[in-house]
PDB file of all heavy atoms in Angstrom:
ATOM      1  N   GLN A 172       1.396  24.052   8.315  1.00 66.00           N
ATOM      2  CA  GLN A 172       0.476  24.605   7.246  1.00 66.00           C
ATOM      3  C   GLN A 172      -0.548  23.676   6.897  1.00 66.00           C
ATOM      4  O   GLN A 172      -1.733  24.021   6.733  1.00 66.00           O
ATOM      5  CB  GLN A 172       1.317  24.948   5.913  1.00 66.00           C
ATOM      6  CG  GLN A 172       0.535  25.582   4.891  1.00 66.00           C
ATOM      7  CD  GLN A 172       1.319  25.989   3.658  1.00 66.00           C
ATOM      8  OE1 GLN A 172       2.479  25.903   3.690  1.00 66.00           O
ATOM      9  NE2 GLN A 172       0.681  26.312   2.598  1.00 66.00           N
ATOM     10  N   PHE A 174      -1.745  21.138   8.688  1.00 65.00           N
ATOM     11  CA  PHE A 174      -2.628  20.936   9.802  1.00 65.00           C
ATOM     12  C   PHE A 174      -3.679  22.107   9.899  1.00 65.00           C
ATOM     13  O   PHE A 174      -4.829  21.972  10.168  1.00 65.00           O
ATOM     14  CB  PHE A 174      -1.898  20.768  11.028  1.00 65.00           C
ATOM     15  CG  PHE A 174      -1.535  19.346  11.378  1.00 65.00           C
ATOM     16  CD1 PHE A 174      -0.498  18.749  10.756  1.00 65.00           C
ATOM     17  CD2 PHE A 174      -2.256  18.725  12.374  1.00 65.00           C
ATOM     18  CE1 PHE A 174      -0.219  17.389  11.048  1.00 65.00           C
ATOM     19  CE2 PHE A 174      -1.981  17.402  12.641  1.00 65.00           C
ATOM     20  CZ  PHE A 174      -0.904  16.712  12.032  1.00 65.00           C
ATOM     21  N   ASP A 175      -3.062  23.330   9.650  1.00 63.00           N
ATOM     22  CA  ASP A 175      -3.874  24.520   9.674  1.00 63.00           C
ATOM     23  C   ASP A 175      -5.040  24.443   8.677  1.00 63.00           C
ATOM     24  O   ASP A 175      -6.249  24.781   8.945  1.00 63.00           O
ATOM     25  CB  ASP A 175      -3.021  25.809   9.460  1.00 63.00           C
ATOM     26  CG  ASP A 175      -2.104  26.112  10.561  1.00 63.00           C
ATOM     27  OD1 ASP A 175      -2.223  25.475  11.567  1.00 63.00           O
ATOM     28  OD2 ASP A 175      -1.352  27.098  10.431  1.00 63.00           O
ATOM     29  N   GLU A 176      -4.706  24.044   7.416  1.00 66.00           N
ATOM     30  CA  GLU A 176      -5.681  23.900   6.331  1.00 66.00           C
ATOM     31  C   GLU A 176      -6.775  22.972   6.754  1.00 66.00           C
ATOM     32  O   GLU A 176      -7.906  23.217   6.466  1.00 66.00           O
ATOM     33  CB  GLU A 176      -4.956  23.630   5.079  1.00 66.00           C
ATOM     34  CG  GLU A 176      -4.046  24.624   4.523  1.00 66.00           C
ATOM     35  CD  GLU A 176      -3.326  24.133   3.270  1.00 66.00           C
ATOM     36  OE1 GLU A 176      -3.572  23.027   2.869  1.00 66.00           O
ATOM     37  OE2 GLU A 176      -2.499  24.980   2.786  1.00 66.00           O
ATOM     38  N   VAL A 177      -6.381  21.791   7.309  1.00 66.00           N
ATOM     39  CA  VAL A 177      -7.398  20.837   7.622  1.00 66.00           C
ATOM     40  C   VAL A 177      -8.325  21.380   8.646  1.00 66.00           C
ATOM     41  O   VAL A 177      -9.632  21.260   8.573  1.00 66.00           O
ATOM     42  CB  VAL A 177      -6.623  19.527   8.199  1.00 66.00           C
ATOM     43  CG1 VAL A 177      -7.685  18.549   8.851  1.00 66.00           C
ATOM     44  CG2 VAL A 177      -5.904  18.891   7.120  1.00 66.00           C
ATOM     45  N   TRP A 178      -7.841  21.979   9.730  1.00 62.00           N
ATOM     46  CA  TRP A 178      -8.763  22.527  10.783  1.00 62.00           C
ATOM     47  C   TRP A 178      -9.623  23.626  10.253  1.00 62.00           C
ATOM     48  O   TRP A 178     -10.819  23.527  10.403  1.00 62.00           O
ATOM     49  CB  TRP A 178      -7.859  23.134  11.933  1.00 62.00           C
ATOM     50  CG  TRP A 178      -7.203  22.035  12.832  1.00 62.00           C
ATOM     51  CD1 TRP A 178      -5.861  21.975  13.055  1.00 62.00           C
ATOM     52  CD2 TRP A 178      -7.883  21.041  13.530  1.00 62.00           C
ATOM     53  NE1 TRP A 178      -5.664  20.983  13.900  1.00 62.00           N
ATOM     54  CE2 TRP A 178      -6.821  20.355  14.199  1.00 62.00           C
ATOM     55  CE3 TRP A 178      -9.144  20.615  13.639  1.00 62.00           C
ATOM     56  CZ2 TRP A 178      -7.139  19.239  14.959  1.00 62.00           C
ATOM     57  CZ3 TRP A 178      -9.433  19.486  14.362  1.00 62.00           C
ATOM     58  CH2 TRP A 178      -8.452  18.830  15.074  1.00 62.00           C
ATOM     59  N   ASN A 179      -9.063  24.470   9.485  1.00 58.00           N
ATOM     60  CA  ASN A 179      -9.825  25.623   8.888  1.00 58.00           C
ATOM     61  C   ASN A 179     -10.985  25.171   8.018  1.00 58.00           C
ATOM     62  O   ASN A 179     -12.094  25.600   8.033  1.00 58.00           O
ATOM     63  CB  ASN A 179      -8.963  26.647   8.182  1.00 58.00           C
ATOM     64  CG  ASN A 179      -8.056  27.317   9.110  1.00 58.00           C
ATOM     65  OD1 ASN A 179      -8.252  27.475  10.364  1.00 58.00           O
ATOM     66  ND2 ASN A 179      -6.883  27.848   8.621  1.00 58.00           N
ATOM     67  N   GLU A 180     -10.630  24.262   7.081  1.00 57.00           N
ATOM     68  CA  GLU A 180     -11.567  23.781   6.136  1.00 57.00           C
ATOM     69  C   GLU A 180     -12.804  23.044   6.791  1.00 57.00           C
ATOM     70  O   GLU A 180     -13.911  23.177   6.400  1.00 57.00           O
ATOM     71  CB  GLU A 180     -10.920  22.781   5.086  1.00 57.00           C
ATOM     72  CG  GLU A 180     -10.042  23.519   4.134  1.00 57.00           C
ATOM     73  CD  GLU A 180      -9.466  22.599   3.085  1.00 57.00           C
ATOM     74  OE1 GLU A 180      -9.850  21.328   3.100  1.00 57.00           O
ATOM     75  OE2 GLU A 180      -8.517  23.034   2.382  1.00 57.00           O
ATOM     76  N   GLN A 181     -12.471  22.301   7.787  1.00 53.00           N
ATOM     77  CA  GLN A 181     -13.518  21.400   8.396  1.00 53.00           C
ATOM     78  C   GLN A 181     -14.355  22.098   9.431  1.00 53.00           C
ATOM     79  O   GLN A 181     -15.551  21.884   9.570  1.00 53.00           O
ATOM     80  CB  GLN A 181     -12.885  20.184   9.024  1.00 53.00           C
ATOM     81  CG  GLN A 181     -13.886  19.106   9.489  1.00 53.00           C
ATOM     82  CD  GLN A 181     -13.267  17.778   9.790  1.00 53.00           C
ATOM     83  OE1 GLN A 181     -12.087  17.579   9.503  1.00 53.00           O
ATOM     84  NE2 GLN A 181     -14.025  16.913  10.356  1.00 53.00           N
ATOM     85  N   TRP A 182     -13.744  23.105  10.212  1.00 47.00           N
ATOM     86  CA  TRP A 182     -14.386  23.584  11.324  1.00 47.00           C
ATOM     87  C   TRP A 182     -14.510  25.131  11.490  1.00 47.00           C
ATOM     88  O   TRP A 182     -15.347  25.614  12.219  1.00 47.00           O
ATOM     89  CB  TRP A 182     -13.812  23.006  12.653  1.00 47.00           C
ATOM     90  CG  TRP A 182     -14.090  21.596  12.811  1.00 47.00           C
ATOM     91  CD1 TRP A 182     -15.206  20.941  12.944  1.00 47.00           C
ATOM     92  CD2 TRP A 182     -13.066  20.572  12.893  1.00 47.00           C
ATOM     93  NE1 TRP A 182     -15.053  19.569  13.016  1.00 47.00           N
ATOM     94  CE2 TRP A 182     -13.726  19.345  13.055  1.00 47.00           C
ATOM     95  CE3 TRP A 182     -11.650  20.630  12.847  1.00 47.00           C
ATOM     96  CZ2 TRP A 182     -13.023  18.074  13.128  1.00 47.00           C
ATOM     97  CZ3 TRP A 182     -10.998  19.430  12.950  1.00 47.00           C
ATOM     98  CH2 TRP A 182     -11.608  18.215  13.084  1.00 47.00           C
ATOM     99  N   VAL A 183     -13.795  25.878  10.656  1.00 44.00           N
ATOM    100  CA  VAL A 183     -13.785  27.269  11.028  1.00 44.00           C
ATOM    101  C   VAL A 183     -15.131  27.977  10.847  1.00 44.00           C
ATOM    102  O   VAL A 183     -15.400  28.907  11.471  1.00 44.00           O
ATOM    103  CB  VAL A 183     -12.704  27.949  10.065  1.00 44.00           C
ATOM    104  CG1 VAL A 183     -13.211  28.113   8.643  1.00 44.00           C
ATOM    105  CG2 VAL A 183     -12.325  29.387  10.656  1.00 44.00           C
ATOM    106  N   ASN A 184     -15.975  27.456   9.937  1.00 41.00           N
ATOM    107  CA  ASN A 184     -17.227  28.107   9.707  1.00 41.00           C
ATOM    108  C   ASN A 184     -18.170  27.819  10.833  1.00 41.00           C
ATOM    109  O   ASN A 184     -19.291  28.474  10.868  1.00 41.00           O
ATOM    110  CB  ASN A 184     -17.890  27.548   8.431  1.00 41.00           C
ATOM    111  CG  ASN A 184     -17.131  27.992   7.149  1.00 41.00           C
ATOM    112  OD1 ASN A 184     -16.559  29.102   7.228  1.00 41.00           O
ATOM    113  ND2 ASN A 184     -17.050  27.159   6.126  1.00 41.00           N
ATOM    114  N   LEU A 250      -4.897  27.378  17.109  1.00 44.00           N
ATOM    115  CA  LEU A 250      -6.084  26.585  16.657  1.00 44.00           C
ATOM    116  C   LEU A 250      -6.657  25.790  17.811  1.00 44.00           C
ATOM    117  O   LEU A 250      -6.206  24.682  18.140  1.00 44.00           O
ATOM    118  CB  LEU A 250      -5.590  25.618  15.554  1.00 44.00           C
ATOM    119  CG  LEU A 250      -4.943  26.246  14.437  1.00 44.00           C
ATOM    120  CD1 LEU A 250      -4.441  25.226  13.351  1.00 44.00           C
ATOM    121  CD2 LEU A 250      -5.926  27.259  13.780  1.00 44.00           C
ATOM    122  N   VAL A 263     -14.128  26.000  17.238  1.00 63.00           N
ATOM    123  CA  VAL A 263     -12.798  26.380  16.870  1.00 63.00           C
ATOM    124  C   VAL A 263     -12.577  27.911  16.953  1.00 63.00           C
ATOM    125  O   VAL A 263     -13.473  28.650  16.562  1.00 63.00           O
ATOM    126  CB  VAL A 263     -12.350  25.985  15.512  1.00 63.00           C
ATOM    127  CG1 VAL A 263     -10.943  26.456  15.136  1.00 63.00           C
ATOM    128  CG2 VAL A 263     -12.472  24.524  15.325  1.00 63.00           C
ATOM    129  N   ALA A 265      -9.616  30.195  15.625  1.00 87.00           N
ATOM    130  CA  ALA A 265      -8.406  30.075  14.837  1.00 87.00           C
ATOM    131  C   ALA A 265      -7.553  31.328  14.921  1.00 87.00           C
ATOM    132  O   ALA A 265      -8.170  32.443  14.747  1.00 87.00           O
ATOM    133  CB  ALA A 265      -8.737  29.705  13.402  1.00 87.00           C
ATOM    134  N   TYR A 266      -6.317  31.160  15.136  1.00 91.00           N
ATOM    135  CA  TYR A 266      -5.397  32.371  15.092  1.00 91.00           C
ATOM    136  C   TYR A 266      -4.384  32.196  14.033  1.00 91.00           C
ATOM    137  O   TYR A 266      -4.043  31.154  13.611  1.00 91.00           O
ATOM    138  CB  TYR A 266      -4.695  32.441  16.462  1.00 91.00           C
ATOM    139  CG  TYR A 266      -5.591  33.096  17.601  1.00 91.00           C
ATOM    140  CD1 TYR A 266      -6.593  32.371  18.219  1.00 91.00           C
ATOM    141  CD2 TYR A 266      -5.426  34.434  17.856  1.00 91.00           C
ATOM    142  CE1 TYR A 266      -7.338  32.936  19.174  1.00 91.00           C
ATOM    143  CE2 TYR A 266      -6.211  35.074  18.865  1.00 91.00           C
ATOM    144  CZ  TYR A 266      -7.196  34.269  19.515  1.00 91.00           C
ATOM    145  OH  TYR A 266      -8.044  34.843  20.417  1.00 91.00           O
ATOM    146  N   VAL A 267      -3.863  33.314  13.550  1.00 93.00           N
ATOM    147  CA  VAL A 267      -2.864  33.386  12.561  1.00 93.00           C
ATOM    148  C   VAL A 267      -1.606  34.023  13.132  1.00 93.00           C
ATOM    149  O   VAL A 267      -1.733  35.003  13.897  1.00 93.00           O
ATOM    150  CB  VAL A 267      -3.277  34.222  11.346  1.00 93.00           C
ATOM    151  CG1 VAL A 267      -2.158  34.254  10.302  1.00 93.00           C
ATOM    152  CG2 VAL A 267      -4.546  33.606  10.705  1.00 93.00           C
ATOM    153  N   GLU A 299      -8.364  34.894  13.171  1.00 92.00           N
ATOM    154  CA  GLU A 299      -8.805  34.888  11.798  1.00 92.00           C
ATOM    155  C   GLU A 299     -10.116  35.729  11.643  1.00 92.00           C
ATOM    156  O   GLU A 299     -10.365  36.331  10.647  1.00 92.00           O
ATOM    157  CB  GLU A 299      -9.098  33.458  11.372  1.00 92.00           C
ATOM    158  CG  GLU A 299      -7.974  32.669  10.819  1.00 92.00           C
ATOM    159  CD  GLU A 299      -8.364  31.460  10.087  1.00 92.00           C
ATOM    160  OE1 GLU A 299      -9.572  31.050  10.210  1.00 92.00           O
ATOM    161  OE2 GLU A 299      -7.547  30.931   9.348  1.00 92.00           O
TER     162      GLU A 299
END
Side-chain angles (χ1 to χ4, degrees):
Q172 180 179 353
F174 270 76
D175 289 355
E176 291 176 2
V177 170
W178 287 123
N179 292 339
E180 287 182 7
Q181 186 165 353
W182 291 299
V183 74
N184 292 329
L250 301 181
V263 177
Y266 280 79
V267 177
E299 271 196 347

